[in-house]
Amino acid sequence: MSGHPAAAAGFLIDAERAAWHDQSLWFMRQKRDAGSAIPEWESLRLAGQALKTHAMSRLADLLEEFERRATANGVQVHWARDAQAHNEIVLGILRSAGVTRVSKSKSMLTEECGLNPFLEAQGIEVVDTDLGERIVQLAKEPPSHIVIPAIHWKREEIGELFHRTMGTPAGETSPDALAAAARVHLRDALLNAGAGITGANALVAETGGVVVCTNEGNADLGMHSPPIHIACAGIEKMIATRDDLGVLLRLLARSGTGQPVTAYTTHVTTPRAGSAMHVVLVDNGRTKRLADATMRSALHCIRCGACLNTCPVYRRSGGYSYGHVIQGPIGAILAPAVDLDRHHTLPFASTLCGSCGDVCPVRIDIPAQLLAWRARSAAAGRLPRGYASIFPLLGRVLSKLDRYEFAARMARRFQKVIPASWLSGRWNPWTRPGRALPVIADESFREWARRAGRGS
Amino acid sequence: MSDRDIILAAIRAARVPAAPPASAAFATSAAPAPLASPSPAFTTRTDDEALHGAFLRVLAEVGGRGVICQATQSLDELLAAELGVDKESAVIVRGRFAVVENGAVYVDAADIGARNSIVLAEHLVVVVPYAAIVPTMHEAVRLMPVDSKCGWFLSGPSKTADIEQSLVFGAQGSRTHRVIFEMG
Amino acid sequence: MCGESSVKKTLVFVHELVASSPTRSRGGADGVVIETRQRFGGATFDLMMRVALAVPCYVDQFRPEAARATLTLLERLGCEVSLGFDAPCCGQPMFNAGVVTAARGAAHEWARASAEFDAIVMPSGSCTHHVRHHVPALLDDEASRHAARVTYELCEFIAGVLGKPQLTGRFPHRVAMHLGCHAQRGLRLGGSTELHEPPQGPMHTLLSGLDGVDIVPLDRPDECCGFGGSFAVGEAEVSVVMGRDKLADVARHGAEVLVSSDPSCLLHLDAIVRHGGSSLRTMHIAELLEEATR
C-alpha cells in the first residue's frame, strides 16, 4: 500500500483516536445540518452556484474592475502567476519596509504557496494567529483541516504544547485557560508585527473590497494594527457584486460551522490613513483549471469545509492522509490537478457516496469530478496498485455471459478446494481488516432458473 | 509579458461559457423558495417588534446580548446599568443597522476611531437606531455605504472552538458583545 | 395510492411517462402514478405487465436468494417476469475504478440485452444508478438511452410503476434500514439529511406499511456503509471501519434485522457481521417483502 490507503490505515491503528476524530467531525456536520435548516437553503445553494459560475465566466473583466477600484482607493494590486512569484512579491513588500516580523491570519493560499517556510528562510518571523493554526505551527505541523486546523489535537496535548512553548502551568487542559493564554501570546505577536497578512474569503468587483471572515477577530487585529496589510487571494475569490456577497455570506458559515455568520466579517476597500494595503492576486494553476471544462467548477469552492466534515472517509482517515494543503473530497479533486503522479490515489479515496456534493454550498459536483479524475488516472497509467491488472480482465469476463459463467464456475470450484485459511490470508484486502470471505452459492440464480426451465 | 497580462490572457483563452448573474439565474429557477422571499420567519412578520424579538434571540444564540433602550431611559443610564464596572474597559460605537437572521450589526470605520478598536475592546457595545433593522443579508449588503473604506458585520463576541471544539468566548477580540437599540 | 385494485398497465406507455415525469429525479416514482392516472383516466388495462428481471453479477453468485425473492415478489404482485435478460454486468465495477475502456464492453452488452424489454427491474440501487446515469454518457447511443429509460430499482418499480406504495404484509421485527448511497443520493429514493429531508422514499414507505414492523431510527441514517466497490479492497481498512460503525449504530438501536435495497452494501456488511459473529440478520428488501407478504 502507498498513498492515501497506507496513510489511512496508519491513522486507523489507534482505533480509539480515529473514532474520536470521526465523532468530532460528525458533530460539525450536525451543526451544519442545524444551522442550514432554513427554508430557502436549497435556493441559496442554487444562487451560490450561479454567482460563482457567473464570476468565472467574466473573471478577467471582474479582476480588472476590482483592480481599477482598489487602485483608485489607494490599494496596491499585485499579480502572481505562481507560488514563487507570490512569495517574492510578499517578500519584496516586507523587505522594502524593513519588516522582520509578520502576523498572518488563516489563508489556505499562503499554505498552498509555502509562504511561511519561504519567509522564514529569508529571516522573517511569521506568527500564524488563528488559534488552531498557531497550535499546528508551534507543533511544526501543517493544518489537518482547512477550517479547524488542529481538529486532530486533544486538549491534553495542546496543554502540554502550550506548557512547553508558552509556559502555561503543567497539566492545564481547560480550553478556557489555554485559549486565554493564547490570547495574550497572540496579541503580542499581532500588535508588534511589522505587517499583517490575511487571506480573503471574497474579492468584490463592484466595491473593490476585500472580505475576510473570522470568529476570533485575529484577522482584524492583524490587518488594522501594523502599518502594512497584505491580503493574499487566489483569483477565483472574485465575485461580481455586493448582492453576491450577501448570498455567499449566508452560505459560508452555516456550511462550515453551522453559525449564521462568522463573528467578524470585514469588508475593506481602502487602507487606513498612514498605512499601506496590498492585494496579491494569485494564479498558481487556477487558469489551467479554468480551461478544463470538466473540472472547472472546483474553482467555485469557498473553503467552508463542509465536504470534509461530512466525508465518511476523511473523518476516518484524517487530514494528513491526503498529503495536500486542501484535504477531504474537495482536496481529492484539487490535488490531482497540481500533481497527478503524486496524488493519484486521492480520487479513489471515496466510496462515491455523494454526501459531499449534497452539502456543498455552491453545489460543486464533487462525485462526478472524482470519477473523472479516476478515468484520467487510468488514462495516465496511474491507477492504484492492482487495478490495472484486475479491472481490464474483469471487464473482459463480465462483458459476455458465457465467459462470466465459466469464470464463476471455476471460482466456485477453487473455493471448495483451496483452504479458507489461505484465501483469507494477509494478502487478501477483503478479509485482512476483519471481513469473512464471501461465499459463492452452490447454485447461482441463473443456474437455478435454467434448472426450473425458465432461464436464458 | 507581466504576470498580470499572462493571467488575464490565460483566463480569456480559457473561453469560459457566458453565465448569467446570480440574481437572473435565481429569478428563473424553479426553486421551491425563491430568494425574493426569504425565511417566512423573518418576512411574514414585518412589524418592528417581531424583527427585534427575532434579532435578540439570534444574538443571544451567538453569545451576544441585546437590549432595547426605552424612550423613558437615557442611553448613559442604560450603559451604566448594563456594563457596571466593565464600563472602564468597554468600547462604545455606533452601528448603522442590525441584521435579524444572524444577529449581526453593521459598523462602519467612518463612525469609529482606530479600526482595531472593535477588536481591542474587552467589552464592545454597539448602539443601533431602533428602526435600522433588516431581515437578511440580502437587504444588509445593499445598506453598506457605497463609499465605505472599511466596515464590519459583527455577530457576537470573539470566539474560538479550536480546542476540541469547546466554545470559548473572547478568543482574541471582545469578550462580551452588546447591541443596544436606541429609540428615536 | 392505487389501493388494492390490481393494476395492470402496459409499460410501453409507462416508461415514456416516467421519462417525461419532472419528479423522477427526486425519487418521484409516486409522480409517475399520478401522471399515469391522469393520462389514463384511472382506467385499468387487462394487459399483463411484462417485465424482465436483471440480476447483477454479484447477486447471481453471492446472494441468489435475493434474486429468487425478487422474482417471487414480482409474480405475487401480478407481473409476468421474464428471466431472459442475458447480460451479466452493467460495467459499474470497472467504471467506478476508472477503467472506462473495460467498462464499455460490459455496458454495451447490457444495453444490447435491454433492447427487447420495456421494463427491467433490478434488485440493486447502485446498478440501476449506473445504468440510468452513467451508461448513456459512456456509450452515447440509442441502445444505452433505451436501457436507461426502462431500468428500475425494485422499490421504485413496485411503488411507482406498479402503483403499490404499500403492500399487505406482516413483519413483526425491529428493522434498521440502510438505503445504498447510489439509491439515496444518486436516484434520490430516500430522504437525505444533507437536504434536511425526513425519512421518505419508496423503500421507506413499503417497509413502514407492513404490519408489526418497527423501523428503528439510526444516529446516522444515511451514512455510507463503506462498501464503495473497488474502495472495499483499495481502501480496505477505512471500508471496514465504516462498516463496523454502521453496524454499531444498528446494534445501539436494538435492531434485529438490517435491510437494504443494495445487495452490494449487504455483501460487505454481512461479511463483517459473520466475521464478528453477531446475531444481526441482514436482508435484502426483496427477501423481507417476500417473507412479509407470504
Side-chain angles (χ1 to χ4, degrees), chain A residues 168-234:
Chain A
T168 52
E172 182 59 75
T173 60
S174 136
D176 282 306
L178 294 172
R183 176 185 168 106
V184 175
H185 166 85
L186 288 168
R187 276 234 169 160
D188 173 63
L190 283 157
L191 298 180
N192 295 309
I197 297 172
T198 69
N201 291 90
L203 306 170
V204 188
E206 186 186 6
T207 65
V210 175
V211 178
V212 183
C213 304
T214 74
N215 273 321
E216 296 176 20
N218 57 312
D220 285 292
L221 281 165
M223 75 174 103
H224 307 309
S225 303
I228 300 169
H229 169 210
I230 307 170
C232 303

Side-chain angles (χ1 to χ4, degrees), chain A residues 52-59 287 289-293 296 299-300, chain B residues 10-19:
Chain A
K52 281 290 186 177
T53 310
H54 173 69
M56 292 306 123
S57 79
R58 289 185 52 216
L59 187 55
T287 52
R289 183 179 283 272
L290 195 68
D292 183 344
R296 179 180 293 145
L299 286 172
H300 299 180
Chain B
I11 294 169
R12 294 197 160 104
R15 300 196 173 280
V16 181

Side-chain angles (χ1 to χ4, degrees), chain A residues 46-84:
Chain A
L46 282 168
Q49 178 183 29
L51 77 89
K52 281 290 186 177
T53 310
H54 173 69
M56 292 306 123
S57 79
R58 289 185 52 216
L59 187 55
D61 295 346
L62 295 179
L63 284 163
E64 285 176 332
E65 183 183 346
F66 173 83
E67 180 189 40
R68 197 166 55 245
R69 290 187 200 280
T71 307
N73 288 333
V75 177
Q76 295 176 57
V77 178
H78 310 259
W79 302 71
R81 75 176 86 174
D82 55 19
Q84 180 69 24

